[in-house]
């Protein structure tokens, strides 16, 4: 630092000088979020820069791994604290001395809005720039909706603000969002280099807010088209529609009035329940990675090579997950034909991504070569992790684990992808149950983000830590769960499916049930989902159970009759619904209605009108009750674990935060009251109120108290 420089102590923001350049550095790990202390520090440092007679120009940068990644989300929902971020941005823009923002890592949300208030923007290689507020149920509330269109034009601004997706530094240069791509890897060096250019060219402050050329004479059609698009794709969401309103205001109102409109719209989003749900999802998604009670010294074992057993749909998808993370994978099956079929599917999947422009051909080829087909267990000898993904047969799985125990090196982790079977019983056939765990992927495994990490009775802490780490490396949301039938997700799903079918038995139509759940925000209802997954799957399981004399499995009903007729769902062109050639749109089918009517008659049921409210309560409250039992048994550690399983594995609307966050919003007293009423009416086991739920209501607590 220059000997004449002024160093201040106003952490987390410092002001100092090098030569004639005043340098403002934000240092608030981990992501330089713009909490109150940072905002106040920025104003103080800016004032010092203005008062510093030796400085003719200011550079604003951030220390650590990233530029400012946005407002401090933890402050949301509390009383706003001065100074507001919009005041900081306005002060930067008004500075009589040119201000250069140097961006690295991620310049997101409020961070990018701060940069938009500066007069010049420099980006280091690899920087991503975006306004992701919409993903938190918000819109940019510190002038972003007014300044971005002035800089990059309303069409591009609308795209960035409504999608929330970031752009690369190169794309930002193309659209005029940044002025220079620095070659220097260090923000300070880049800032000083750009300062020299500004001085050499005698550039004066350029205020984004004062620009009008890009927002003149914008066609109203741009906004009506955006609204039509949203009405089709995101009818439930609140914030994206408000984003369109705000950008339109930028193009139709003077800056001061546009900023006022943005503030009103921002506050409407801030007060919406969707904002609360999405922010719960944001923090819960990060919290699930930290397993309660897992010792900090449980260091993950290295995983450089993986084996996957079974080249079917599931195994192939799992192998793709590892190849996508550049982890070499041996894909094992018993016949060459099965391997060829599996690899052909994988190849087709990669080619589809290439065709859609999501993957470069060379990258697809590279990933494919990482998957090595094999017929020999000996090829798994040096694997660090093996995932078994064969069909649900305990005998077969036991045989496979016995073999793996013989061939795999000591310390290798042996995992099963079972969705229902007892992981402890599988582990017991090996000499190393401490190295066995469940890795329950969801279909299609290469797409779905959820991974239930099943901790067996004897699973070692470092094996659990490894599984959680592997989940992160392959881009999954790993959630640790314990052993029970169906684990967390399918156990709750099973309850919902039973209620949905019972509602139809009593008088509802399948499409009525589905519509109630899609109106709630699920991408599809239970019956459309059954058609997608294949009705034959559940039918075979029920048949097996009936043969085994399971008293919990009801006698064959209309769902079984559909499967008996070869109506398996989408794959056969008809199931519960019918499908027109080449279409996936479910259409109500009189054949199904007729089977249902005959089934009711055979059971002596007189159909009644079932209300949408009853459908919602029976399908969702039964899951809440089951989840409370799951928590009580310790199969899930926290309510947020259940929430993330349902958001990432079963399409529970993220803006509702997950089933238990949603239950807290409804009120546990209300839910328990209805559950009790259903129990009194039916006497059914699934409606027996969970003692945990009763205790929470008695103590006036919500599920949030269990996080
Ligand atoms: N506020 C508070 N905490 C934040 C935060 C934020 N904006 N962004 C991240 N964090 C926290 C995370 O919760 C996490 O905390 P933890 O270690 O205690 O779990 C820690 O910072 C590290 O975050 P990640 O684990 O997500 O780290 P990554 O390196 O994987 O990702 C990131 C970094 C890309 C910056 C990612 O954290 C992210 O996307 N953050 C949110 C960005 C965002 O949405 N910004 C807009 C905020 S709203 C806004 O700005 C309103 C304005 O318009 C007025």
């Amino acid at each position: 630092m220059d000997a004449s420089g002024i160093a201040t102590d106003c952490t987390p923001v410092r002001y100092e000088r090098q030569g004639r350049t005043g340098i403002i550095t934000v240092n608030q790990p981990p992501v330089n979020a713009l909490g109150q202390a940072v905002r106040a520090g920025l104003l103080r440092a800016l004032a010092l820069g203005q008062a510093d007679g030796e400085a003719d120009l200011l550079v604003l940068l951030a220390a650590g791994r990233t530029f400012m990644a946005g407002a401090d989300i933890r402050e949301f929902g509390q009383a706003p604290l001065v100074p507001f971020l919009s005041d900081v941005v306005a002060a930067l823009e008004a500075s009589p001395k040119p201000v250069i923002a140097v961006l690295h890592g991620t310049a997101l949300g409020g961070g990018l809005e701060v940069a938009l208030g500066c007069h010049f923007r420099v980006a280091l290689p690899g920087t991503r720039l975006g306004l992701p507020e919409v993903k938190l149920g918000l819109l940019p509330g510190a002038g972003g909706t007014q300044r971005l269109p002035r800089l990059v034009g309303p069409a591009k601004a609308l795209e960035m603000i409504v999608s929330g997706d970031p752009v690369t530094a190169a794309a930002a240069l193309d659209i005029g969002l940044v002025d220079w791509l620095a070659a220097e890897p260090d923000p300070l060096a880049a800032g000083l280099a750009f300062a020299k250019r500004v001085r050499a060219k005698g550039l004066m402050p350029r205020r984004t807010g004062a620009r009008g050329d890009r927002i003149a004479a914008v066609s109203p059609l741009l906004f009506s088209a955006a609204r039509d698009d949203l009405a089709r794709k995101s009818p439930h969401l609140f914030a994206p529609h408000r984003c369109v309103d705000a950008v339109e205001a930028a193009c139709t109102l003077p800056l001061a009035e546009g900023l006022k409109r943005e503030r009103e719209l921002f506050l409407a989003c801030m007060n919406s329940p969707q904002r609360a749900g999405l922010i719960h999802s944001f923090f819960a998604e990060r919290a699930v990675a930290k397993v309660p009670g897992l010792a900090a010294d449980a260091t993950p074992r290295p995983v450089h090579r993986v084996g996957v057993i079974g080249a079917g749909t599931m195994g192939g998808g799992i192998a793709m997950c590892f190849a996508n993370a550049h982890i070499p994978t041996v894909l094992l099956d018993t016949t060459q034909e099965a391997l060829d079929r599996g690899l052909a599917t994988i190849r087709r999947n990669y080619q589809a991504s290439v065709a859609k422009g999501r993957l470069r051909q060379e990258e697809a080829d590279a990933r494919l070569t990482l998957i090595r087909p094999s017929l020999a267990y000996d090829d798994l000898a040096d694997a660090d992790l093996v995932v078994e993904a064969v069909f649900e047969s305990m005998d077969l799985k036991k045989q496979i684990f016995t073999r793996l125990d013989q061939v795999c090196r000591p310390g290798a982790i042996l995992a099963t992808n079972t969705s229902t079977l007892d992981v402890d019983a599988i582990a017991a056939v090996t000499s190393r149950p401490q190295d066995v765990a469940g890795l329950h992927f969801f279909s299609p495994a290469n797409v779905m983000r959820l991974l239930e990490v099943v901790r067996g009775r004897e699973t070692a802490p470092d094996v659990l830590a490894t599984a959680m780490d592997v989940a992160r490396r392959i881009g999954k949301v790993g959630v640790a769960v314990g052993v029970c039938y169906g684990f967390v997700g399918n156990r709750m799903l099973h309850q919902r499916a039973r209620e949905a079918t019972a509602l139809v038995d009593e008088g509802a139509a399948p499409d009525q049930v589905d519509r109630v759940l899609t109106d709630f925000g699920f991408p599809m209802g239970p019956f459309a989902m059954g058609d997608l997954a294949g009705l034959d799957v559940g039918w075979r399981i029920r048949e097996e159970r009936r043969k085994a004399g399971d008293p919990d499995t009801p006698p064959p009903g209309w769902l079984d009759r559909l499967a008996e007729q070869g109506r398996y769902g989408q794959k056969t062109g008809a199931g519960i619904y019918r499908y027109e050639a080449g279409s996936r749109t479910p259409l109500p089918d009189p054949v199904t209605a007729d089977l249902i009517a005959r089934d009711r008659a055979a059971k002596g049921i007189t159909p009644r009108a079932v209300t949408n409210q009853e459908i919602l309560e029976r399908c969702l409250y039964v899951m809440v009750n089951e989840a409370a039992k799951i928590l009580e048994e310790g199969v899930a550690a926290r309510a947020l674990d259940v929430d993330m399983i349902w958001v990432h594995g079963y399409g529970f609307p993220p803006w509702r935060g997950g089933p238990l966050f949603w239950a807290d919003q409804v009120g546990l007293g209300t839910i328990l009251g209805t559950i009790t009423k259903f129990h009194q009416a039916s006497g059914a086991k699934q409606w027996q109120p969970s003692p945990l739920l009763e205790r929470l209501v008695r103590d006036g607590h919500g599920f949030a108290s269990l996080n």
Side-chain angles (χ1 to χ4, degrees):
M1 195 55 48
D2 190 303
S4 62
I6 306 165
T8 75
D9 198 12
C10 56
T11 50
V13 185
R14 282 172 65 84
Y15 176 76
E16 45 209 348
R17 183 163 32 77
Q18 275 206 22
R20 286 189 293 142
T21 307
I23 298 154
I24 299 172
T25 307
V26 175
N27 187 3
Q28 180 76 326
V31 296
N32 291 310
L34 285 145
Q36 196 273 341
V38 174
R39 298 194 301 271
L42 273 170
L43 281 186
R44 272 200 303 270
L46 185 62
L48 285 172
Q50 304 301 349
D52 183 356
E54 303 290 309
D56 61 352
L57 190 152
L58 305 175
V59 166
L60 169 62
L61 49 86
R65 70 197 220 213
T66 180
F67 190 74
M68 289 155 257
D72 189 335
I73 302 170
R74 286 164 308 186
E75 286 183 356
F76 294 171
Q78 297 167 20
L81 299 168
V82 289
F84 299 139
L85 190 55
S86 47
D87 300 333
V88 176
V89 176
L92 285 163
E93 188 166 68
S95 163
K97 295 181 185 178
V99 187
I100 303 165
V102 187
L103 319 179
H104 75 290
T106 45
L108 298 177
L112 185 58
E113 290 176 297
V114 163
L116 287 170
C118 297
H119 307 133
F120 303 94
R121 282 155 296 278
V122 173
L124 264 55
T127 308
R128 286 181 306 133
L129 303 86
L131 293 172
E133 285 87 343
V134 72
K135 298 187 180 185
L136 300 173
L138 288 169
L139 54 82
T145 64
Q146 306 303 298
R147 289 191 178 86
L148 190 64
R150 284 176 161 80
L151 204 55
V152 305
K156 190 69 205 170
L158 210 48
E159 185 187 315
M160 286 180 68
I161 294 171
V162 172
S163 73
D165 292 336
V167 296
T168 61
L173 184 69
D174 269 356
I175 60 175
L177 179 51
V178 299
D179 302 288
W180 189 51
L181 289 193
E184 289 81 355
D186 167 52
L188 180 57
L192 293 174
F194 194 73
K196 251 191 210 164
R197 291 178 168 221
V198 171
R199 264 189 213 105
K201 293 189 179 169
L203 298 178
M204 300 304 286
R206 290 182 327 184
R207 298 189 173 89
T208 312
R211 283 185 63 170
D213 51 318
R214 303 294 308 257
I215 49 165
V218 178
S219 165
L221 289 179
L222 178 69
F223 303 104
S224 54
R227 290 190 177 100
D228 289 348
D229 196 44
L230 283 175
R232 239 188 357 265
K233 292 189 191 144
S234 322
H236 295 294
L237 295 179
F238 185 75
H241 298 266
R242 311 284 98 64
C243 291
V244 178
D245 296 348
V247 176
E248 188 175 38
C251 303
T252 49
L253 299 174
L255 181 69
E257 280 179 49
L259 287 172
K260 205 166 139 245
R261 180 80 184 116
E262 179 194 82
R263 184 86 201 141
E264 287 160 10
L265 293 164
F266 178 77
L267 290 178
C269 291
M270 187 60 97
N271 293 329
S272 80
Q274 294 195 358
R275 190 273 305 161
L278 284 164
I279 286 182
H280 169 72
S281 293
F282 177 87
F283 284 118
E285 194 177 315
R286 283 154 181 81
V288 287
K290 296 162 194 159
V291 181
L294 182 60
D297 61 354
T299 315
R301 299 180 189 177
V303 174
H304 301 300
R305 276 178 292 270
V306 169
V308 175
I309 301 180
T313 313
M314 210 61 203
I318 295 172
M320 285 177 74
C321 295
F322 290 110
N324 295 347
H326 304 118
I327 302 173
T329 302
V330 172
L331 181 61
L332 189 113
D333 212 313
T334 46
T335 65
Q336 189 60 43
E337 200 196 340
L339 281 180
D340 291 346
R341 215 178 317 118
L343 274 179
T345 307
I346 292 173
R347 197 171 295 117
R348 234 184 359 260
N349 286 341
Y350 278 136
Q351 280 319 118
S353 300
V354 172
K356 286 181 194 147
R358 291 192 190 143
L359 194 64
R360 286 179 303 113
Q361 185 66 54
E362 311 84 78
E363 180 62 18
D365 294 343
R367 292 182 188 184
L368 204 55
T369 53
L370 283 171
I371 302 176
R372 184 157 68 88
S374 166
L375 295 168
Y377 269 81
D378 288 345
D379 287 340
L380 301 176
D382 63 355
D384 304 307
L385 163 71
V386 179
V387 184
E388 162 278 308
V390 303
F391 64 90
E392 290 289 82
S393 154
M394 182 56 103
D395 287 347
L396 181 59
K397 291 191 194 254
K398 282 184 172 171
Q399 278 170 31
I400 289 172
F401 275 75
T402 307
R403 189 84 183 90
L404 287 176
D405 196 25
Q406 291 158 356
V407 297
C408 290
R409 63 165 187 76
I413 295 173
L414 312 182
T416 171
N417 178 50
T418 182
S419 53
T420 49
L421 300 174
D422 183 349
V423 174
D424 292 328
I426 297 172
V429 301
T430 71
S431 61
R432 43 172 128 178
Q434 74 283 358
D435 293 343
V436 177
L439 286 182
H440 182 209
F441 288 81
F442 289 73
S443 188
N446 51 315
V447 177
M448 297 297 290
R449 288 199 70 208
L450 176 63
L451 182 65
E452 278 183 326
V453 174
V454 188
R455 179 183 205 167
R457 203 172 33 237
E458 298 198 44
T459 305
D462 66 335
V463 169
L464 179 62
T466 311
M468 297 299 291
D469 189 53
V470 164
R472 183 191 55 76
R473 284 173 63 195
I474 63 175
K476 302 289 180 203
V477 177
V479 185
V481 300
V483 175
C484 72
Y485 184 81
F487 311 119
V488 174
N490 281 350
R491 180 166 154 186
M492 289 165 65
L493 182 73
H494 180 67
Q495 297 298 349
R496 189 185 78 173
R498 189 176 29 208
E499 281 312 303
T501 313
L503 283 158
V504 171
D505 287 347
E506 291 167 37
D511 59 305
Q512 185 195 0
V513 176
D514 278 356
R515 208 171 33 252
V516 169
L517 289 165
T518 51
D519 285 351
F520 179 80
F522 279 97
M524 57 173 69
F527 295 115
M529 195 169 119
D531 269 1
L532 179 67
L535 300 184
D536 48 328
V537 183
W539 173 50
R540 295 218 163 87
I541 294 175
R542 287 192 295 277
E543 285 293 281
E544 285 297 312
R545 292 224 202 104
R546 284 181 195 119
K547 270 190 223 146
D550 175 11
D552 274 348
T553 307
W558 59 273
L559 263 178
D560 303 82
R561 302 278 172 248
L562 284 168
E564 281 164 15
Q565 292 180 15
R567 294 179 60 120
Y568 294 163
Q570 279 192 22
K571 62 186 169 188
T572 57
I576 297 166
Y577 296 98
R578 66 183 182 85
Y579 299 86
E580 279 172 358
S583 163
R584 287 161 175 255
T585 308
L587 301 167
D589 192 337
V591 175
T592 307
D594 184 51
L595 277 178
I596 293 169
R598 276 197 269 158
D599 197 33
R600 285 182 191 137
K603 290 177 184 155
I605 298 172
T606 309
R608 64 180 174 91
V610 179
T611 65
N612 290 348
Q613 183 63 19
E614 180 180 347
I615 292 174
L616 195 71
E617 288 172 353
R618 280 181 55 188
C619 287
L620 298 190
Y621 291 0
V622 79
M623 295 203 316
V624 172
N625 200 32
E626 193 66 25
K629 293 174 188 173
I630 285 170
L631 284 168
E632 199 160 24
E633 291 165 23
V635 172
R638 296 162 296 189
L640 63 83
D641 292 314
V642 176
D643 284 340
M644 289 303 97
I645 285 172
W646 269 79
V647 165
H648 291 291
Y650 298 86
F652 198 96
W655 44 273
R656 292 196 189 271
L660 299 186
F661 183 84
W662 170 78
D664 277 353
Q665 313 308 304
V666 174
L668 296 192
T670 306
I671 293 183
L672 178 62
T674 309
I675 287 175
T676 308
K677 190 181 79 190
F678 289 149
H679 187 236
Q680 282 160 356
S682 67
K685 197 165 104 201
Q686 69 270 23
W687 290 115
Q688 170 76 52
S690 137
L692 173 67
L693 185 59
E694 289 176 323
R695 199 173 69 235
L696 287 173
V697 172
R698 206 171 41 243
D699 297 348
H701 293 320
F703 282 112
S705 65
L706 306 174
N707 284 333

PDB file of all heavy atoms in Angstrom, residues 406-425:
ATOM      1  N   GLN A 406     -16.292 -60.322  -1.759  1.00  0.00           N
ATOM      2  CA  GLN A 406     -15.111 -61.111  -2.127  1.00  0.00           C
ATOM      3  C   GLN A 406     -14.153 -60.317  -3.020  1.00  0.00           C
ATOM      4  O   GLN A 406     -12.947 -60.386  -2.875  1.00  0.00           O
ATOM      5  CB  GLN A 406     -15.535 -62.387  -2.875  1.00  0.00           C
ATOM      6  CG  GLN A 406     -16.251 -63.393  -1.995  1.00  0.00           C
ATOM      7  CD  GLN A 406     -17.122 -64.354  -2.807  1.00  0.00           C
ATOM      8  OE1 GLN A 406     -17.256 -64.241  -4.030  1.00  0.00           O
ATOM      9  NE2 GLN A 406     -17.738 -65.297  -2.125  1.00  0.00           N
ATOM     10  N   VAL A 407     -14.713 -59.545  -3.977  1.00  0.00           N
ATOM     11  CA  VAL A 407     -13.826 -58.928  -4.979  1.00  0.00           C
ATOM     12  C   VAL A 407     -13.375 -57.511  -4.639  1.00  0.00           C
ATOM     13  O   VAL A 407     -12.323 -57.081  -5.114  1.00  0.00           O
ATOM     14  CB  VAL A 407     -14.466 -58.901  -6.391  1.00  0.00           C
ATOM     15  CG1 VAL A 407     -14.726 -60.287  -6.911  1.00  0.00           C
ATOM     16  CG2 VAL A 407     -15.728 -58.053  -6.433  1.00  0.00           C
ATOM     17  N   CYS A 408     -14.159 -56.769  -3.866  1.00  0.00           N
ATOM     18  CA  CYS A 408     -13.817 -55.351  -3.673  1.00  0.00           C
ATOM     19  C   CYS A 408     -12.700 -55.192  -2.655  1.00  0.00           C
ATOM     20  O   CYS A 408     -12.577 -55.991  -1.723  1.00  0.00           O
ATOM     21  CB  CYS A 408     -15.041 -54.556  -3.236  1.00  0.00           C
ATOM     22  SG  CYS A 408     -16.236 -54.418  -4.571  1.00  0.00           S
ATOM     23  N   ARG A 409     -11.909 -54.140  -2.834  1.00  0.00           N
ATOM     24  CA  ARG A 409     -10.770 -53.928  -1.934  1.00  0.00           C
ATOM     25  C   ARG A 409     -11.284 -53.492  -0.551  1.00  0.00           C
ATOM     26  O   ARG A 409     -12.376 -52.923  -0.442  1.00  0.00           O
ATOM     27  CB  ARG A 409      -9.818 -52.892  -2.515  1.00  0.00           C
ATOM     28  CG  ARG A 409     -10.431 -51.529  -2.681  1.00  0.00           C
ATOM     29  CD  ARG A 409      -9.376 -50.464  -2.899  1.00  0.00           C
ATOM     30  NE  ARG A 409      -9.997 -49.158  -2.897  1.00  0.00           N
ATOM     31  CZ  ARG A 409     -10.413 -48.522  -1.801  1.00  0.00           C
ATOM     32  NH1 ARG A 409     -10.274 -49.062  -0.612  1.00  0.00           N
ATOM     33  NH2 ARG A 409     -10.989 -47.339  -1.886  1.00  0.00           N
ATOM     34  N   PRO A 410     -10.493 -53.743   0.495  1.00  0.00           N
ATOM     35  CA  PRO A 410     -10.910 -53.303   1.825  1.00  0.00           C
ATOM     36  C   PRO A 410     -11.089 -51.784   1.820  1.00  0.00           C
ATOM     37  O   PRO A 410     -10.315 -51.077   1.192  1.00  0.00           O
ATOM     38  CB  PRO A 410      -9.730 -53.678   2.730  1.00  0.00           C
ATOM     39  CG  PRO A 410      -8.929 -54.668   1.946  1.00  0.00           C
ATOM     40  CD  PRO A 410      -9.190 -54.430   0.499  1.00  0.00           C
ATOM     41  N   GLY A 411     -12.131 -51.312   2.439  1.00  0.00           N
ATOM     42  CA  GLY A 411     -12.371 -49.856   2.502  1.00  0.00           C
ATOM     43  C   GLY A 411     -13.272 -49.349   1.390  1.00  0.00           C
ATOM     44  O   GLY A 411     -13.736 -48.213   1.443  1.00  0.00           O
ATOM     45  N   ALA A 412     -13.504 -50.199   0.365  1.00  0.00           N
ATOM     46  CA  ALA A 412     -14.423 -49.760  -0.695  1.00  0.00           C
ATOM     47  C   ALA A 412     -15.828 -49.681  -0.113  1.00  0.00           C
ATOM     48  O   ALA A 412     -16.194 -50.486   0.751  1.00  0.00           O
ATOM     49  CB  ALA A 412     -14.390 -50.737  -1.862  1.00  0.00           C
ATOM     50  N   ILE A 413     -16.617 -48.723  -0.601  1.00  0.00           N
ATOM     51  CA  ILE A 413     -17.986 -48.572  -0.089  1.00  0.00           C
ATOM     52  C   ILE A 413     -18.947 -49.328  -0.992  1.00  0.00           C
ATOM     53  O   ILE A 413     -18.888 -49.207  -2.223  1.00  0.00           O
ATOM     54  CB  ILE A 413     -18.353 -47.080   0.004  1.00  0.00           C
ATOM     55  CG1 ILE A 413     -17.443 -46.431   1.050  1.00  0.00           C
ATOM     56  CG2 ILE A 413     -19.822 -46.893   0.363  1.00  0.00           C
ATOM     57  CD1 ILE A 413     -17.570 -44.943   1.150  1.00  0.00           C
ATOM     58  N   LEU A 414     -19.802 -50.136  -0.382  1.00  0.00           N
ATOM     59  CA  LEU A 414     -20.754 -50.944  -1.134  1.00  0.00           C
ATOM     60  C   LEU A 414     -22.149 -50.363  -0.888  1.00  0.00           C
ATOM     61  O   LEU A 414     -22.618 -50.330   0.253  1.00  0.00           O
ATOM     62  CB  LEU A 414     -20.696 -52.402  -0.674  1.00  0.00           C
ATOM     63  CG  LEU A 414     -19.287 -53.013  -0.560  1.00  0.00           C
ATOM     64  CD1 LEU A 414     -19.375 -54.481  -0.135  1.00  0.00           C
ATOM     65  CD2 LEU A 414     -18.518 -52.894  -1.875  1.00  0.00           C
ATOM     66  N   ALA A 415     -22.783 -49.906  -1.969  1.00  0.00           N
ATOM     67  CA  ALA A 415     -24.076 -49.229  -1.793  1.00  0.00           C
ATOM     68  C   ALA A 415     -25.157 -49.936  -2.598  1.00  0.00           C
ATOM     69  O   ALA A 415     -24.902 -50.475  -3.663  1.00  0.00           O
ATOM     70  CB  ALA A 415     -23.958 -47.780  -2.255  1.00  0.00           C
ATOM     71  N   THR A 416     -26.362 -49.892  -2.047  1.00  0.00           N
ATOM     72  CA  THR A 416     -27.502 -50.439  -2.783  1.00  0.00           C
ATOM     73  C   THR A 416     -28.473 -49.318  -3.136  1.00  0.00           C
ATOM     74  O   THR A 416     -28.680 -48.398  -2.346  1.00  0.00           O
ATOM     75  CB  THR A 416     -28.235 -51.533  -1.967  1.00  0.00           C
ATOM     76  OG1 THR A 416     -29.452 -51.857  -2.651  1.00  0.00           O
ATOM     77  CG2 THR A 416     -28.574 -51.081  -0.553  1.00  0.00           C
ATOM     78  N   ASN A 417     -29.049 -49.441  -4.318  1.00  0.00           N
ATOM     79  CA  ASN A 417     -30.039 -48.452  -4.759  1.00  0.00           C
ATOM     80  C   ASN A 417     -31.462 -48.917  -4.442  1.00  0.00           C
ATOM     81  O   ASN A 417     -32.424 -48.406  -5.006  1.00  0.00           O
ATOM     82  CB  ASN A 417     -29.870 -48.223  -6.268  1.00  0.00           C
ATOM     83  CG  ASN A 417     -30.886 -47.240  -6.816  1.00  0.00           C
ATOM     84  OD1 ASN A 417     -31.062 -46.155  -6.286  1.00  0.00           O
ATOM     85  ND2 ASN A 417     -31.597 -47.625  -7.863  1.00  0.00           N
ATOM     86  N   THR A 418     -31.586 -49.872  -3.536  1.00  0.00           N
ATOM     87  CA  THR A 418     -32.938 -50.363  -3.237  1.00  0.00           C
ATOM     88  C   THR A 418     -33.865 -49.220  -2.806  1.00  0.00           C
ATOM     89  O   THR A 418     -33.429 -48.268  -2.157  1.00  0.00           O
ATOM     90  CB  THR A 418     -32.913 -51.438  -2.135  1.00  0.00           C
ATOM     91  OG1 THR A 418     -34.248 -51.885  -1.942  1.00  0.00           O
ATOM     92  CG2 THR A 418     -32.380 -50.918  -0.801  1.00  0.00           C
ATOM     93  N   SER A 419     -35.150 -49.343  -3.187  1.00  0.00           N
ATOM     94  CA  SER A 419     -36.087 -48.317  -2.739  1.00  0.00           C
ATOM     95  C   SER A 419     -36.971 -48.841  -1.613  1.00  0.00           C
ATOM     96  O   SER A 419     -37.696 -48.070  -0.990  1.00  0.00           O
ATOM     97  CB  SER A 419     -36.949 -47.840  -3.908  1.00  0.00           C
ATOM     98  OG  SER A 419     -37.565 -48.925  -4.542  1.00  0.00           O
ATOM     99  N   THR A 420     -36.921 -50.144  -1.371  1.00  0.00           N
ATOM    100  CA  THR A 420     -37.824 -50.699  -0.354  1.00  0.00           C
ATOM    101  C   THR A 420     -37.149 -51.701   0.588  1.00  0.00           C
ATOM    102  O   THR A 420     -37.627 -51.907   1.701  1.00  0.00           O
ATOM    103  CB  THR A 420     -38.997 -51.462  -1.023  1.00  0.00           C
ATOM    104  OG1 THR A 420     -38.451 -52.335  -1.995  1.00  0.00           O
ATOM    105  CG2 THR A 420     -39.994 -50.526  -1.662  1.00  0.00           C
ATOM    106  N   LEU A 421     -36.075 -52.341   0.138  1.00  0.00           N
ATOM    107  CA  LEU A 421     -35.564 -53.477   0.924  1.00  0.00           C
ATOM    108  C   LEU A 421     -34.682 -53.019   2.089  1.00  0.00           C
ATOM    109  O   LEU A 421     -34.177 -51.892   2.102  1.00  0.00           O
ATOM    110  CB  LEU A 421     -34.800 -54.433   0.004  1.00  0.00           C
ATOM    111  CG  LEU A 421     -35.652 -55.017  -1.134  1.00  0.00           C
ATOM    112  CD1 LEU A 421     -34.795 -55.849  -2.087  1.00  0.00           C
ATOM    113  CD2 LEU A 421     -36.800 -55.853  -0.581  1.00  0.00           C
ATOM    114  N   ASP A 422     -34.493 -53.941   3.021  1.00  0.00           N
ATOM    115  CA  ASP A 422     -33.806 -53.629   4.266  1.00  0.00           C
ATOM    116  C   ASP A 422     -32.285 -53.587   4.046  1.00  0.00           C
ATOM    117  O   ASP A 422     -31.645 -54.623   3.821  1.00  0.00           O
ATOM    118  CB  ASP A 422     -34.181 -54.735   5.283  1.00  0.00           C
ATOM    119  CG  ASP A 422     -33.573 -54.487   6.642  1.00  0.00           C
ATOM    120  OD1 ASP A 422     -32.711 -53.593   6.761  1.00  0.00           O
ATOM    121  OD2 ASP A 422     -33.965 -55.197   7.588  1.00  0.00           O
ATOM    122  N   VAL A 423     -31.729 -52.389   4.125  1.00  0.00           N
ATOM    123  CA  VAL A 423     -30.298 -52.205   3.884  1.00  0.00           C
ATOM    124  C   VAL A 423     -29.473 -52.992   4.906  1.00  0.00           C
ATOM    125  O   VAL A 423     -28.411 -53.542   4.584  1.00  0.00           O
ATOM    126  CB  VAL A 423     -29.948 -50.695   3.940  1.00  0.00           C
ATOM    127  CG1 VAL A 423     -28.451 -50.464   3.838  1.00  0.00           C
ATOM    128  CG2 VAL A 423     -30.674 -49.944   2.827  1.00  0.00           C
ATOM    129  N   ASP A 424     -29.979 -53.108   6.134  1.00  0.00           N
ATOM    130  CA  ASP A 424     -29.230 -53.837   7.170  1.00  0.00           C
ATOM    131  C   ASP A 424     -29.140 -55.322   6.832  1.00  0.00           C
ATOM    132  O   ASP A 424     -28.110 -55.959   7.062  1.00  0.00           O
ATOM    133  CB  ASP A 424     -29.900 -53.663   8.539  1.00  0.00           C
ATOM    134  CG  ASP A 424     -29.776 -52.237   9.027  1.00  0.00           C
ATOM    135  OD1 ASP A 424     -28.755 -51.589   8.706  1.00  0.00           O
ATOM    136  OD2 ASP A 424     -30.705 -51.762   9.706  1.00  0.00           O
ATOM    137  N   ALA A 425     -30.230 -55.872   6.257  1.00  0.00           N
ATOM    138  CA  ALA A 425     -30.210 -57.291   5.890  1.00  0.00           C
ATOM    139  C   ALA A 425     -29.226 -57.525   4.742  1.00  0.00           C
ATOM    140  O   ALA A 425     -28.538 -58.554   4.686  1.00  0.00           O
ATOM    141  CB  ALA A 425     -31.617 -57.750   5.484  1.00  0.00           C
TER     142      ALA A 425
END
